[in-house]
């Protein structure tokens, strides 16, 4: 099997798994308990918190554990909206956010908030002039993702953070795809809140965190016990927390080298696909993109068919076609970068990991070539296109 | 998520291709929704479908339903072909996931569109056949 869907989830690394093991059957104490048996668990939680904070230049007491990226996004956005609703009810986001942000914003619209969805350019980069123009006296929150989950485009966070700061507005970023994959520093980028999820960087599923800058006084989202300095109730998921902490430490180790390796392999993949398969385009920015992300559109074919045939070759990938989104519309991200529906239906996302080899890429590109050719040979769109060309030539 | 029969017809689609100078050809669906089916029919002087071919842009179910629909109408009379409903196509494929039922409807429509084309070319009326609504050429021109 060749696993090229690391943006969906990643394999838990051996070191992460080993570090978690003692916290199931041996060190199972509730970290909040008073006896010394629990002390070891709390120490492990604290250590994880520090590893996580270190990776983004934050302080450990600014990290709040959650059940994952979606909870973190919901918390940040809803609690910020609630906290500042006397100042205003206007929120700025983008058209290409993850649904955890988009649907949360849409929920708030129903509660009487106003949301501006700032457009992106053809590469998926947010239009900064539009963002600046959208800022109003009653704007209370800017929430823009760090890097896009589908097309991998990295956003100009520093500029966005600067605009937010200049105007006294909170800046939240969904960094679920970026954390552990590219360098992020909350102070340099002017980030007030940041969401991330363990399973996107070789940690376990069901654990994530929200970074909340000291002084940002958003309220609780999950009410109950006094865990997480009374801001996020619920017994600590000790094995999960230990796991995400180990994953953060591993991600920090050799981040630069890993980025270089992945980027080289990614660019090799992109080059092969674009030069060897005609009527193909790369989605997202050529250079300002996640090191492990490649996203293509193959004209005249549909994504689900492509995925099924790739699966039969043992290749795991994903697509933004309607059939994979569960609706009649293809991905909102591909439409936002200006692709017509028929082209957006033919998208393929390949996301690499540290373990991906050049052989994997070669095998995959060879498979894609054959599959695209086969699907085009049975596509009425391709037939029309070829006939049109022949007509024009004659 | 797909039955074995659907996978079989997706992996080894029957009757893929074109017919030169077909008795009738119909294209339905639209690229916006991600499904387009084109079915070609060769109908002899006795009104029997001698050959059926298809080309499809779409998901696994779209390919499989096109394949099955062409299989089901081959050798049939025009009247019998009208009875190849989306239900018949689905049953022959051992069912489709609920979100894919529209693919079988498209297959039925594509057959009807090809028959309509045949009727128009030969200036005949086929009992029970209504003008297909889904004219992809027109739609595409409107949209792009």
């Amino acid at each position: 099997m060749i696993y090229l869907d690391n943006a969906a989830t990643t394999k838990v690394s051996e070191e992460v798994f080993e570090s978690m093991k003692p916290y199931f059957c041996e060190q199972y104490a509730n970290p909040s308990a008073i006896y010394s048996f629990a002390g070891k668990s709390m120490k492990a939680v604290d250590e994880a918190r520090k590893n996580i904070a270190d990776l983004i230049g934050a302080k450990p007491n600014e990290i709040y554990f959650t059940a994952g990226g979606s909870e973190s996004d919901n918390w940040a956005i809803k609690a910020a909206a609630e906290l500042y609703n006397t100042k205003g009810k206007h929120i700025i986001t983008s058209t290409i956010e993850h649904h955890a942000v988009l649907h949360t914003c849409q929920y708030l619209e129903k509660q009487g908030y106003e949301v501006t969805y700032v457009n992106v350019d053809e590469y998926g980069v947010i239009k900064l002039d539009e963002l600046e123009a959208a800022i109003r006296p009653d704007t209370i929150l800017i929430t823009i993702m760090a890097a896009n989950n589908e097309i991998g485009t990295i956003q100009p966070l520093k500029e966005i953070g600067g605009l937010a700061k200049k105007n006294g507005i909170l800046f939240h970023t969904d960094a679920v795809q970026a954390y552990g994959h590219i360098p992020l520093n909350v102070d340099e980028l002017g980030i007030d809140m940041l969401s991330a999820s363990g399973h996107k960087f070789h940690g376990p599923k069901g654990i994530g965190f929200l970074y909340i800058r000291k002084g940002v006084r958003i309220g609780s989202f999950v009410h109950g016990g006094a865990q997480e300095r009374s801001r996020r109730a619920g017994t600590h998921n000790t094995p999960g927390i230990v796991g995400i902490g180990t994953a953060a430490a591993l991600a920090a180790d050799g981040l630069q080298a890993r980025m270089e390796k992945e980027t080289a392999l990614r660019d090799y993949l992109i080059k092969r696909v674009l030069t060897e398969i005609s009527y193909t385009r790369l989605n997202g920015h050529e250079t300002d993109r996640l090191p492990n992300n490649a996203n293509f559109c193959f004209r005249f074919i549909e994504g689900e068919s492509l995925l099924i045939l790739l699966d039969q070759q043992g290749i795991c990938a994903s697509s933004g076609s309607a059939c994979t989104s569960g609706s009649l519309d293809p991905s909102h991200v591909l439409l936002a970068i200006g692709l017509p529906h028929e082209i957006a239906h033919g998208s393929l996302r390949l996301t690499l990991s540290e373990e991906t080899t050049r052989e994997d890429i070669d095998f995959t590109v060879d498979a894609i070539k054959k599959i695209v050719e086969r699907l085009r040979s049975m596509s009425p769109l391709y037939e029309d296109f070829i006939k049109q060309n022949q007509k024009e030539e004659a | 998520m797909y039955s074995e029969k659907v996978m079989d017809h997706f992996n080894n689609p029957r009757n893929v291709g074109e017919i030169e100078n077909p008795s009738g050809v119909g294209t339905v669906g639209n690229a916006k929704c991600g499904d387009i089916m084109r079915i070609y029919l060769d109908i002899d002087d006795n009104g029997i479908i001698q050959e059926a071919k298809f080309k499809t842009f779409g998901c696994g179910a779209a390919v499989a339903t096109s394949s099955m629909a062409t299989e089901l109408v081959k050798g049939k009379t025009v009247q019998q072909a009208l009875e190849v409903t989306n239900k018949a196509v689905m049953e022959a494929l051992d069912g489709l996931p609920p979100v894919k039922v529209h693919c079988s409807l498209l297959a039925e429509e594509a057959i009807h569109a090809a028959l309509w084309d045949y009727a128009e070319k030969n200036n005949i009326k086929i009992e029970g056949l209504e003008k297909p609504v889904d004219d992809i050429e027109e739609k595409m021109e409107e949209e792009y």
Side-chain angles (χ1 to χ4, degrees), chain A residues 300-302 304-305 308-309 312 323 341-342 345 374 377-378 380-381 383-384 387, chain B residues 2 7 10-11 18 31-34 38 40 55-60 63 100 144:
Chain A
F300 318 115
I301 67 165
E302 193 277 334
E304 191 206 84
S305 292
I308 297 174
L309 293 171
Q312 287 170 4
C323 284
H341 280 69
E342 74 194 74
H345 281 299
R374 173 175 163 191
S377 76
M378 52 197 274
L381 292 174
E383 179 187 315
D384 292 348
K387 282 185 181 158
Chain B
Y2 288 133
M7 287 308 288
F10 174 68
N11 283 321
E18 298 165 51
K32 210 178 160 184
C33 301
R38 177 172 297 158
Y40 297 87
K55 287 218 169 167
T56 288
F57 161 84
C59 61
V63 173
K100 302 291 186 180
Y144 304 111

mmCIF file of all heavy atoms in Angstrom, chain A residues 300-302 304-305 308-309 312 323 341-342 345 374 377-378 380-381 383-384 387, chain B residues 2 7 10-11 18 31-34 38 40 55-60 63 100 144:
data_model
loop_
_atom_site.group_PDB
_atom_site.id
_atom_site.type_symbol
_atom_site.label_atom_id
_atom_site.label_comp_id
_atom_site.label_asym_id
_atom_site.label_seq_id
_atom_site.Cartn_x
_atom_site.Cartn_y
_atom_site.Cartn_z
ATOM 1 N N PHE A 300 -11.444 16.518 -18.048
ATOM 2 C CA PHE A 300 -12.300 15.521 -18.735
ATOM 3 C C PHE A 300 -12.554 14.259 -17.908
ATOM 4 O O PHE A 300 -13.174 13.328 -18.389
ATOM 5 C CB PHE A 300 -11.728 15.091 -20.102
ATOM 6 C CG PHE A 300 -11.170 16.220 -20.904
ATOM 7 C CD1 PHE A 300 -9.822 16.286 -21.213
ATOM 8 C CD2 PHE A 300 -12.008 17.234 -21.341
ATOM 9 C CE1 PHE A 300 -9.303 17.332 -21.954
ATOM 10 C CE2 PHE A 300 -11.499 18.290 -22.088
ATOM 11 C CZ PHE A 300 -10.143 18.351 -22.396
ATOM 12 N N ILE A 301 -12.044 14.191 -16.675
ATOM 13 C CA ILE A 301 -12.345 13.002 -15.876
ATOM 14 C C ILE A 301 -12.876 13.409 -14.503
ATOM 15 O O ILE A 301 -12.764 14.562 -14.105
ATOM 16 C CB ILE A 301 -11.123 12.060 -15.714
ATOM 17 C CG1 ILE A 301 -10.044 12.728 -14.881
ATOM 18 C CG2 ILE A 301 -10.609 11.599 -17.064
ATOM 19 C CD1 ILE A 301 -9.014 11.740 -14.402
ATOM 20 N N GLU A 302 -13.419 12.435 -13.804
ATOM 21 C CA GLU A 302 -14.065 12.703 -12.525
ATOM 22 C C GLU A 302 -13.270 12.012 -11.412
ATOM 23 O O GLU A 302 -12.767 10.905 -11.580
ATOM 24 C CB GLU A 302 -15.511 12.184 -12.608
ATOM 25 C CG GLU A 302 -16.441 12.631 -11.518
ATOM 26 C CD GLU A 302 -16.317 11.781 -10.279
ATOM 27 O OE1 GLU A 302 -15.922 10.591 -10.379
ATOM 28 O OE2 GLU A 302 -16.588 12.295 -9.190
ATOM 29 N N GLU A 304 -13.856 10.620 -8.345
ATOM 30 C CA GLU A 304 -14.139 9.376 -7.634
ATOM 31 C C GLU A 304 -13.678 8.156 -8.422
ATOM 32 O O GLU A 304 -13.108 7.215 -7.872
ATOM 33 C CB GLU A 304 -15.633 9.240 -7.319
ATOM 34 C CG GLU A 304 -15.894 8.092 -6.361
ATOM 35 C CD GLU A 304 -17.280 7.494 -6.482
ATOM 36 O OE1 GLU A 304 -17.475 6.626 -7.363
ATOM 37 O OE2 GLU A 304 -18.149 7.874 -5.711
ATOM 38 N N SER A 305 -13.916 8.183 -9.735
ATOM 39 C CA SER A 305 -13.463 7.079 -10.590
ATOM 40 C C SER A 305 -11.951 6.918 -10.462
ATOM 41 O O SER A 305 -11.425 5.800 -10.368
ATOM 42 C CB SER A 305 -13.792 7.374 -12.052
ATOM 43 O OG SER A 305 -15.171 7.359 -12.247
ATOM 44 N N ILE A 308 -11.048 5.275 -7.097
ATOM 45 C CA ILE A 308 -11.333 3.835 -7.038
ATOM 46 C C ILE A 308 -10.231 3.060 -7.774
ATOM 47 O O ILE A 308 -9.733 2.045 -7.297
ATOM 48 C CB ILE A 308 -12.711 3.504 -7.649
ATOM 49 C CG1 ILE A 308 -13.833 4.181 -6.848
ATOM 50 C CG2 ILE A 308 -12.949 1.995 -7.668
ATOM 51 C CD1 ILE A 308 -15.214 4.024 -7.478
ATOM 52 N N LEU A 309 -9.852 3.587 -8.930
ATOM 53 C CA LEU A 309 -8.828 2.878 -9.715
ATOM 54 C C LEU A 309 -7.458 2.971 -9.050
ATOM 55 O O LEU A 309 -6.667 2.021 -9.114
ATOM 56 C CB LEU A 309 -8.804 3.417 -11.153
ATOM 57 C CG LEU A 309 -10.083 3.096 -11.956
ATOM 58 C CD1 LEU A 309 -10.094 3.827 -13.281
ATOM 59 C CD2 LEU A 309 -10.233 1.591 -12.178
ATOM 60 N N GLN A 312 -7.318 0.423 -6.356
ATOM 61 C CA GLN A 312 -7.055 -0.927 -6.852
ATOM 62 C C GLN A 312 -5.563 -1.169 -7.099
ATOM 63 O O GLN A 312 -5.123 -2.312 -7.180
ATOM 64 C CB GLN A 312 -7.872 -1.189 -8.116
ATOM 65 C CG GLN A 312 -9.344 -1.368 -7.772
ATOM 66 C CD GLN A 312 -10.237 -1.389 -8.973
ATOM 67 O OE1 GLN A 312 -9.784 -1.344 -10.109
ATOM 68 N NE2 GLN A 312 -11.531 -1.447 -8.731
ATOM 69 N N CYS A 323 -18.705 13.629 -5.758
ATOM 70 C CA CYS A 323 -19.001 12.289 -5.281
ATOM 71 C C CYS A 323 -18.265 11.967 -3.994
ATOM 72 O O CYS A 323 -18.667 11.094 -3.248
ATOM 73 C CB CYS A 323 -18.650 11.260 -6.350
ATOM 74 S SG CYS A 323 -19.878 11.239 -7.644
ATOM 75 N N HIS A 341 -16.869 24.127 -12.423
ATOM 76 C CA HIS A 341 -17.286 22.863 -11.801
ATOM 77 C C HIS A 341 -16.680 21.645 -12.482
ATOM 78 O O HIS A 341 -16.185 20.738 -11.838
ATOM 79 C CB HIS A 341 -18.808 22.725 -11.844
ATOM 80 C CG HIS A 341 -19.504 23.489 -10.776
ATOM 81 N ND1 HIS A 341 -19.547 24.861 -10.757
ATOM 82 C CD2 HIS A 341 -20.187 23.078 -9.685
ATOM 83 C CE1 HIS A 341 -20.237 25.261 -9.700
ATOM 84 N NE2 HIS A 341 -20.636 24.199 -9.033
ATOM 85 N N GLU A 342 -16.753 21.628 -13.829
ATOM 86 C CA GLU A 342 -16.355 20.406 -14.538
ATOM 87 C C GLU A 342 -14.877 20.082 -14.311
ATOM 88 O O GLU A 342 -14.483 18.928 -14.292
ATOM 89 C CB GLU A 342 -16.659 20.535 -16.027
ATOM 90 C CG GLU A 342 -15.693 21.463 -16.756
ATOM 91 C CD GLU A 342 -16.192 21.848 -18.122
ATOM 92 O OE1 GLU A 342 -17.122 22.661 -18.166
ATOM 93 O OE2 GLU A 342 -15.650 21.352 -19.113
ATOM 94 N N HIS A 345 -14.278 18.853 -10.571
ATOM 95 C CA HIS A 345 -14.668 17.455 -10.338
ATOM 96 C C HIS A 345 -13.507 16.493 -10.576
ATOM 97 O O HIS A 345 -13.530 15.372 -10.087
ATOM 98 C CB HIS A 345 -15.827 17.059 -11.253
ATOM 99 C CG HIS A 345 -17.159 17.548 -10.784
ATOM 100 N ND1 HIS A 345 -17.692 17.182 -9.575
ATOM 101 C CD2 HIS A 345 -18.058 18.378 -11.347
ATOM 102 C CE1 HIS A 345 -18.864 17.764 -9.425
ATOM 103 N NE2 HIS A 345 -19.107 18.505 -10.488
ATOM 104 N N ARG A 374 -7.150 5.956 -19.418
ATOM 105 C CA ARG A 374 -8.288 5.059 -19.522
ATOM 106 C C ARG A 374 -9.612 5.803 -19.323
ATOM 107 O O ARG A 374 -10.564 5.621 -20.077
ATOM 108 C CB ARG A 374 -8.139 3.958 -18.457
ATOM 109 C CG ARG A 374 -9.335 3.070 -18.373
ATOM 110 C CD ARG A 374 -9.132 1.928 -17.409
ATOM 111 N NE ARG A 374 -10.427 1.365 -17.087
ATOM 112 C CZ ARG A 374 -10.631 0.489 -16.128
ATOM 113 N NH1 ARG A 374 -9.622 0.077 -15.399
ATOM 114 N NH2 ARG A 374 -11.824 0.020 -15.901
ATOM 115 N N SER A 377 -10.465 7.967 -22.229
ATOM 116 C CA SER A 377 -10.911 7.228 -23.420
ATOM 117 C C SER A 377 -12.401 6.930 -23.338
ATOM 118 O O SER A 377 -13.037 6.658 -24.344
ATOM 119 C CB SER A 377 -10.111 5.931 -23.576
ATOM 120 O OG SER A 377 -10.570 4.975 -22.645
ATOM 121 N N MET A 378 -12.967 6.982 -22.134
ATOM 122 C CA MET A 378 -14.406 6.760 -22.050
ATOM 123 C C MET A 378 -15.169 8.030 -21.658
ATOM 124 O O MET A 378 -16.329 7.962 -21.283
ATOM 125 C CB MET A 378 -14.726 5.578 -21.117
ATOM 126 C CG MET A 378 -14.120 5.619 -19.761
ATOM 127 S SD MET A 378 -14.160 3.969 -19.000
ATOM 128 C CE MET A 378 -15.773 4.017 -18.312
ATOM 129 N N PRO A 380 -17.081 11.457 -22.549
ATOM 130 C CA PRO A 380 -17.680 12.217 -23.661
ATOM 131 C C PRO A 380 -17.104 13.631 -23.765
ATOM 132 O O PRO A 380 -17.064 14.219 -24.839
ATOM 133 C CB PRO A 380 -19.175 12.265 -23.314
ATOM 134 C CG PRO A 380 -19.264 11.960 -21.859
ATOM 135 C CD PRO A 380 -18.070 11.140 -21.504
ATOM 136 N N LEU A 381 -16.642 14.177 -22.624
ATOM 137 C CA LEU A 381 -16.056 15.522 -22.661
ATOM 138 C C LEU A 381 -14.760 15.515 -23.463
ATOM 139 O O LEU A 381 -14.472 16.431 -24.224
ATOM 140 C CB LEU A 381 -15.760 16.010 -21.240
ATOM 141 C CG LEU A 381 -16.950 16.304 -20.336
ATOM 142 C CD1 LEU A 381 -16.479 16.641 -18.934
ATOM 143 C CD2 LEU A 381 -17.780 17.442 -20.902
ATOM 144 N N GLU A 383 -13.981 13.289 -25.771
ATOM 145 C CA GLU A 383 -14.361 13.025 -27.163
ATOM 146 C C GLU A 383 -14.729 14.331 -27.870
ATOM 147 O O GLU A 383 -14.242 14.624 -28.970
ATOM 148 C CB GLU A 383 -15.566 12.064 -27.158
ATOM 149 C CG GLU A 383 -16.107 11.706 -28.516
ATOM 150 C CD GLU A 383 -17.400 10.880 -28.412
ATOM 151 O OE1 GLU A 383 -17.433 9.937 -27.585
ATOM 152 O OE2 GLU A 383 -18.361 11.185 -29.135
ATOM 153 N N ASP A 384 -15.552 15.149 -27.197
ATOM 154 C CA ASP A 384 -15.964 16.428 -27.796
ATOM 155 C C ASP A 384 -14.763 17.346 -27.996
ATOM 156 O O ASP A 384 -14.656 18.018 -29.026
ATOM 157 C CB ASP A 384 -16.984 17.139 -26.886
ATOM 158 C CG ASP A 384 -18.305 16.404 -26.836
ATOM 159 O OD1 ASP A 384 -18.507 15.496 -27.664
ATOM 160 O OD2 ASP A 384 -19.133 16.732 -25.975
ATOM 161 N N LYS A 387 -12.679 16.172 -30.948
ATOM 162 C CA LYS A 387 -13.377 16.450 -32.211
ATOM 163 C C LYS A 387 -13.344 17.936 -32.543
ATOM 164 O O LYS A 387 -13.181 18.324 -33.689
ATOM 165 C CB LYS A 387 -14.824 15.943 -32.140
ATOM 166 C CG LYS A 387 -14.893 14.442 -32.331
ATOM 167 C CD LYS A 387 -16.314 13.935 -32.382
ATOM 168 C CE LYS A 387 -16.292 12.420 -32.542
ATOM 169 N NZ LYS A 387 -17.539 11.790 -32.099
ATOM 170 N N TYR B 2 -19.835 -0.012 -2.922
ATOM 171 C CA TYR B 2 -20.500 -0.499 -4.138
ATOM 172 C C TYR B 2 -20.624 -2.025 -4.114
ATOM 173 O O TYR B 2 -19.782 -2.721 -3.547
ATOM 174 C CB TYR B 2 -19.688 -0.118 -5.373
ATOM 175 C CG TYR B 2 -19.730 1.361 -5.726
ATOM 176 C CD1 TYR B 2 -18.560 2.048 -6.020
ATOM 177 C CD2 TYR B 2 -20.937 2.044 -5.805
ATOM 178 C CE1 TYR B 2 -18.584 3.399 -6.370
ATOM 179 C CE2 TYR B 2 -20.976 3.392 -6.151
ATOM 180 C CZ TYR B 2 -19.800 4.058 -6.435
ATOM 181 O OH TYR B 2 -19.836 5.378 -6.781
ATOM 182 N N MET B 7 -18.876 -2.854 -9.134
ATOM 183 C CA MET B 7 -17.423 -2.813 -9.295
ATOM 184 C C MET B 7 -16.996 -3.529 -10.567
ATOM 185 O O MET B 7 -16.094 -3.092 -11.273
ATOM 186 C CB MET B 7 -16.727 -3.427 -8.073
ATOM 187 C CG MET B 7 -16.770 -2.545 -6.831
ATOM 188 S SD MET B 7 -16.197 -0.858 -7.110
ATOM 189 C CE MET B 7 -14.444 -1.151 -7.293
ATOM 190 N N PHE B 10 -17.748 -1.333 -13.400
ATOM 191 C CA PHE B 10 -16.855 -0.174 -13.421
ATOM 192 C C PHE B 10 -15.465 -0.591 -13.927
ATOM 193 O O PHE B 10 -14.850 0.079 -14.747
ATOM 194 C CB PHE B 10 -16.746 0.449 -12.025
ATOM 195 C CG PHE B 10 -15.726 1.553 -11.945
ATOM 196 C CD1 PHE B 10 -15.930 2.752 -12.614
ATOM 197 C CD2 PHE B 10 -14.553 1.373 -11.227
ATOM 198 C CE1 PHE B 10 -14.983 3.764 -12.556
ATOM 199 C CE2 PHE B 10 -13.601 2.389 -11.171
ATOM 200 C CZ PHE B 10 -13.815 3.583 -11.835
ATOM 201 N N ASN B 11 -15.000 -1.723 -13.417
ATOM 202 C CA ASN B 11 -13.660 -2.185 -13.802
ATOM 203 C C ASN B 11 -13.591 -2.719 -15.227
ATOM 204 O O ASN B 11 -12.593 -2.542 -15.904
ATOM 205 C CB ASN B 11 -13.187 -3.279 -12.841
ATOM 206 C CG ASN B 11 -12.723 -2.680 -11.530
ATOM 207 O OD1 ASN B 11 -12.090 -1.637 -11.516
ATOM 208 N ND2 ASN B 11 -13.057 -3.339 -10.435
ATOM 209 N N GLU B 18 -17.795 4.484 -29.319
ATOM 210 C CA GLU B 18 -18.700 5.282 -30.145
ATOM 211 C C GLU B 18 -19.220 4.408 -31.281
ATOM 212 O O GLU B 18 -18.613 3.394 -31.586
ATOM 213 C CB GLU B 18 -17.939 6.447 -30.803
ATOM 214 C CG GLU B 18 -17.344 7.429 -29.835
ATOM 215 C CD GLU B 18 -16.317 8.333 -30.523
ATOM 216 O OE1 GLU B 18 -16.662 8.908 -31.571
ATOM 217 O OE2 GLU B 18 -15.197 8.440 -30.017
ATOM 218 N N ALA B 31 -21.902 18.702 -16.678
ATOM 219 C CA ALA B 31 -20.560 18.665 -16.104
ATOM 220 C C ALA B 31 -20.535 19.317 -14.731
ATOM 221 O O ALA B 31 -19.710 18.985 -13.889
ATOM 222 C CB ALA B 31 -19.584 19.368 -17.038
ATOM 223 N N LYS B 32 -21.470 20.229 -14.508
ATOM 224 C CA LYS B 32 -21.505 20.929 -13.236
ATOM 225 C C LYS B 32 -21.710 19.951 -12.083
ATOM 226 O O LYS B 32 -21.080 20.065 -11.040
ATOM 227 C CB LYS B 32 -22.652 21.950 -13.281
ATOM 228 C CG LYS B 32 -22.349 23.145 -12.433
ATOM 229 C CD LYS B 32 -23.440 24.185 -12.506
ATOM 230 C CE LYS B 32 -23.273 25.067 -11.274
ATOM 231 N NZ LYS B 32 -24.293 26.060 -11.130
ATOM 232 N N CYS B 33 -22.603 19.002 -12.301
ATOM 233 C CA CYS B 33 -22.872 18.025 -11.251
ATOM 234 C C CYS B 33 -21.903 16.858 -11.294
ATOM 235 O O CYS B 33 -21.946 15.972 -10.442
ATOM 236 C CB CYS B 33 -24.299 17.503 -11.353
ATOM 237 S SG CYS B 33 -25.509 18.802 -11.209
ATOM 238 N N GLY B 34 -21.081 16.804 -12.316
ATOM 239 C CA GLY B 34 -20.060 15.775 -12.350
ATOM 240 C C GLY B 34 -20.439 14.496 -13.052
ATOM 241 O O GLY B 34 -19.742 13.501 -12.912
ATOM 242 N N ARG B 38 -23.277 9.630 -22.519
ATOM 243 C CA ARG B 38 -23.646 9.665 -23.939
ATOM 244 C C ARG B 38 -23.843 8.228 -24.395
ATOM 245 O O ARG B 38 -22.938 7.407 -24.219
ATOM 246 C CB ARG B 38 -22.550 10.343 -24.746
ATOM 247 C CG ARG B 38 -22.833 10.361 -26.248
ATOM 248 C CD ARG B 38 -21.829 11.217 -26.984
ATOM 249 N NE ARG B 38 -21.928 12.604 -26.540
ATOM 250 C CZ ARG B 38 -20.949 13.499 -26.671
ATOM 251 N NH1 ARG B 38 -19.792 13.154 -27.217
ATOM 252 N NH2 ARG B 38 -21.117 14.735 -26.241
ATOM 253 N N TYR B 40 -24.918 5.721 -27.637
ATOM 254 C CA TYR B 40 -25.102 5.569 -29.080
ATOM 255 C C TYR B 40 -25.888 4.282 -29.330
ATOM 256 O O TYR B 40 -25.590 3.259 -28.715
ATOM 257 C CB TYR B 40 -23.763 5.399 -29.787
ATOM 258 C CG TYR B 40 -22.808 6.559 -29.690
ATOM 259 C CD1 TYR B 40 -21.924 6.667 -28.618
ATOM 260 C CD2 TYR B 40 -22.733 7.497 -30.713
ATOM 261 C CE1 TYR B 40 -21.019 7.706 -28.555
ATOM 262 C CE2 TYR B 40 -21.829 8.537 -30.663
ATOM 263 C CZ TYR B 40 -20.969 8.638 -29.577
ATOM 264 O OH TYR B 40 -20.067 9.662 -29.525
ATOM 265 N N LYS B 55 -20.216 6.543 -23.699
ATOM 266 C CA LYS B 55 -19.083 7.247 -23.104
ATOM 267 C C LYS B 55 -19.621 8.003 -21.899
ATOM 268 O O LYS B 55 -20.692 8.611 -21.975
ATOM 269 C CB LYS B 55 -18.447 8.218 -24.094
ATOM 270 C CG LYS B 55 -17.657 7.497 -25.168
ATOM 271 C CD LYS B 55 -16.398 8.247 -25.534
ATOM 272 C CE LYS B 55 -15.504 7.367 -26.398
ATOM 273 N NZ LYS B 55 -14.425 8.152 -27.024
ATOM 274 N N THR B 56 -18.904 7.926 -20.793
ATOM 275 C CA THR B 56 -19.386 8.560 -19.572
ATOM 276 C C THR B 56 -18.272 9.286 -18.839
ATOM 277 O O THR B 56 -17.163 8.761 -18.706
ATOM 278 C CB THR B 56 -20.045 7.494 -18.650
ATOM 279 O OG1 THR B 56 -21.281 7.105 -19.232
ATOM 280 C CG2 THR B 56 -20.304 8.040 -17.257
ATOM 281 N N PHE B 57 -18.619 10.491 -18.382
ATOM 282 C CA PHE B 57 -17.769 11.258 -17.483
ATOM 283 C C PHE B 57 -18.484 11.203 -16.147
ATOM 284 O O PHE B 57 -19.628 11.643 -16.046
ATOM 285 C CB PHE B 57 -17.663 12.705 -18.003
ATOM 286 C CG PHE B 57 -17.209 13.723 -16.987
ATOM 287 C CD1 PHE B 57 -15.859 13.929 -16.738
ATOM 288 C CD2 PHE B 57 -18.141 14.504 -16.287
ATOM 289 C CE1 PHE B 57 -15.442 14.897 -15.819
ATOM 290 C CE2 PHE B 57 -17.721 15.465 -15.367
ATOM 291 C CZ PHE B 57 -16.375 15.647 -15.132
ATOM 292 N N GLY B 58 -17.862 10.609 -15.150
ATOM 293 C CA GLY B 58 -18.541 10.540 -13.870
ATOM 294 C C GLY B 58 -17.935 9.527 -12.931
ATOM 295 O O GLY B 58 -16.879 8.949 -13.207
ATOM 296 N N CYS B 59 -18.640 9.300 -11.821
ATOM 297 C CA CYS B 59 -18.125 8.446 -10.760
ATOM 298 C C CYS B 59 -18.270 6.970 -11.121
ATOM 299 O O CYS B 59 -18.771 6.614 -12.185
ATOM 300 C CB CYS B 59 -18.871 8.750 -9.472
ATOM 301 S SG CYS B 59 -20.635 8.430 -9.605
ATOM 302 N N GLY B 60 -17.878 6.112 -10.213
ATOM 303 C CA GLY B 60 -17.956 4.672 -10.431
ATOM 304 C C GLY B 60 -19.362 4.220 -10.777
ATOM 305 O O GLY B 60 -19.560 3.420 -11.700
ATOM 306 N N VAL B 63 -20.406 5.160 -14.404
ATOM 307 C CA VAL B 63 -19.831 4.260 -15.409
ATOM 308 C C VAL B 63 -20.575 2.925 -15.395
ATOM 309 O O VAL B 63 -20.971 2.395 -16.434
ATOM 310 C CB VAL B 63 -18.319 4.055 -15.151
ATOM 311 C CG1 VAL B 63 -17.755 2.985 -16.090
ATOM 312 C CG2 VAL B 63 -17.560 5.373 -15.323
ATOM 313 N N LYS B 100 -26.274 7.594 -4.994
ATOM 314 C CA LYS B 100 -25.918 7.326 -6.389
ATOM 315 C C LYS B 100 -27.115 6.956 -7.258
ATOM 316 O O LYS B 100 -26.951 6.610 -8.418
ATOM 317 C CB LYS B 100 -24.891 6.179 -6.453
ATOM 318 C CG LYS B 100 -23.618 6.440 -5.674
ATOM 319 C CD LYS B 100 -22.796 7.522 -6.329
ATOM 320 C CE LYS B 100 -21.462 7.656 -5.612
ATOM 321 N NZ LYS B 100 -20.631 8.689 -6.196
ATOM 322 N N TYR B 144 -21.264 28.274 -19.762
ATOM 323 C CA TYR B 144 -19.886 28.740 -19.992
ATOM 324 C C TYR B 144 -19.802 29.673 -21.182
ATOM 325 O O TYR B 144 -20.116 29.323 -22.267
ATOM 326 C CB TYR B 144 -18.953 27.539 -20.179
ATOM 327 C CG TYR B 144 -19.020 26.591 -19.029
ATOM 328 C CD1 TYR B 144 -19.580 25.333 -19.167
ATOM 329 C CD2 TYR B 144 -18.579 26.982 -17.765
ATOM 330 C CE1 TYR B 144 -19.675 24.467 -18.086
ATOM 331 C CE2 TYR B 144 -18.672 26.143 -16.682
ATOM 332 C CZ TYR B 144 -19.229 24.886 -16.845
ATOM 333 O OH TYR B 144 -19.317 24.045 -15.774
#
